[in-house]
């Protein structure tokens, strides 16, 4: 090609074009993220304005503008009033107790995923996965109806079987009992989320380099050795990320499950922090005090998040935020 047709670009022009391209990409990424920033502001940060209710003796009849300003009265009441302090300690004990049991059972989705991927029959594997994932989409109201049908004292399947085999002489009211209520709630949560939780680990297993399996097979590894030395180490990063996220949301035990299963007999042991905030805020119309308790929960959650982040840095060398 003749030299007069070759367009020579100077280094300065190249640098200018590169800066222009990077700037253009940055603007494009910013505008792509803008809708999500707006949604996060509207639904996550704007509602924080409601925290102002914790500093007033709010009355719906007067409105926030005419309600008396009381400063940190509700926060000091939470600590100084013996009865309120005992109530907060009780619901925190329930919340922490059931969350610790939940963390202890978080290994079951991993074990379930490990054995599920080892099933060779495709149709059987899909059937098991569908049947175990479906409960995640059932509301807690329907779960209660299902549990009531199983354990009812009148026509419950479990009571009928136990009476027929002679293990009990009269039906047991399992639902109207506070015995082992933490374990009962944990097992129900495990049943509902087992298949759904395993999906993430199945996806993580699919992402493991197949050459590792081939190399292990060449070295004479069987199915269990492949599972132990290749699959399990490949799942550990995913397990730790989910575990640390669970620790960050440790104090948020949920609401629907405990609201549906609570009754006069088990209320003392099943009431977690979210349910307590609802009961004193909506049921007892103590909006200001319930807002103060909710703020306490948010602050504890933020502290736990940073502790989890620190643990992630210490254990894995990576942070989650």
């Amino acid at each position: 090609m003749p030299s007069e047709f070759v367009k020579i670009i100077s280094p300065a022009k190249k640098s200018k074009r590169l800066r222009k391209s990077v700037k253009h990409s940055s603007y494009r990424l910013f505008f792509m993220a803008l809708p999500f920033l707006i949604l996060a502001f509207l639904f996550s940060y704007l509602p924080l304005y409601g925290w102002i209710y914790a500093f007033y003796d709010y009355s719906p009849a007067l409105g926030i503008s005419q309600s008396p300003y009381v400063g940190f009265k509700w926060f000091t009441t939470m600590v100084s009033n013996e009865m309120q302090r005992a109530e907060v300690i009780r619901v925190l004990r329930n919340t922490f107790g059931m969350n610790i049991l939940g963390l202890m059972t978080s290994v079951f989705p991993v074990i379930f995923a490990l054995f599920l991927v080892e099933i060779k029959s495709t149709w059987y594997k899909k059937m098991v996965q569908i049947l175990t994932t479906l409960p995640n989409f059932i509301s807690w109201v329907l779960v209660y109806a299902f549990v009531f049908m199983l354990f009812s004292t009148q026509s419950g399947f479990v009571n009928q079987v136990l009476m027929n085999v002679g293990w009990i002489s009269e039906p047991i009211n399992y639902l109207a009992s506070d015995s082992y209520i933490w374990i009962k709630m944990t097992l129900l949560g495990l049943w509902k989320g087992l298949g759904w939780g395993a999906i993430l680990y199945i996806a993580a297993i699919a992402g493991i380099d197949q050459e590792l399996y081939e190399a292990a097979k060449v070295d004479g590894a069987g199915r269990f050795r492949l599972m132990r030395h290749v699959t399990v180490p490949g799942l550990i990063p995913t397990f730790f990320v989910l575990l640390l996220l669970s620790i960050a949301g440790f104090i948020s035990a949920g609401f629907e499950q405990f609201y549906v299963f609570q009754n006069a007999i088990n209320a003392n042991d099943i009431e977690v922090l979210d349910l307590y905030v609802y009961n004193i805020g909506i049921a007892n119309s103590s909006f200001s005090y319930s807002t103060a308790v909710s703020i306490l929960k948010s602050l504890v959650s933020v502290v736990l998040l940073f502790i989890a982040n620190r643990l992630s840095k210490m254990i894995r060398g990576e942070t989650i935020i």
Side-chain angles (χ1 to χ4, degrees), residues 154-181:
Q154 301 298 325
S155 57
F157 174 76
V158 175
N159 276 316
Q160 292 295 326
V161 170
L162 293 179
M163 290 179 68
N164 289 337
V165 298
W167 287 5
I168 58 175
S169 57
E170 56 183 22
I172 300 173
N173 196 346
Y174 295 98
L175 293 176
S177 168
D178 59 351
S179 301
Y180 309 109
I181 190 67

Side-chain angles (χ1 to χ4, degrees), residues 139-149 175 260-263:
S139 71
W140 279 109
V141 177
L142 291 179
V143 172
Y144 181 84
F146 177 68
V147 174
F148 182 82
M149 184 179 66
L175 293 176
V260 169
F261 280 90
Q262 72 168 344
N263 53 54

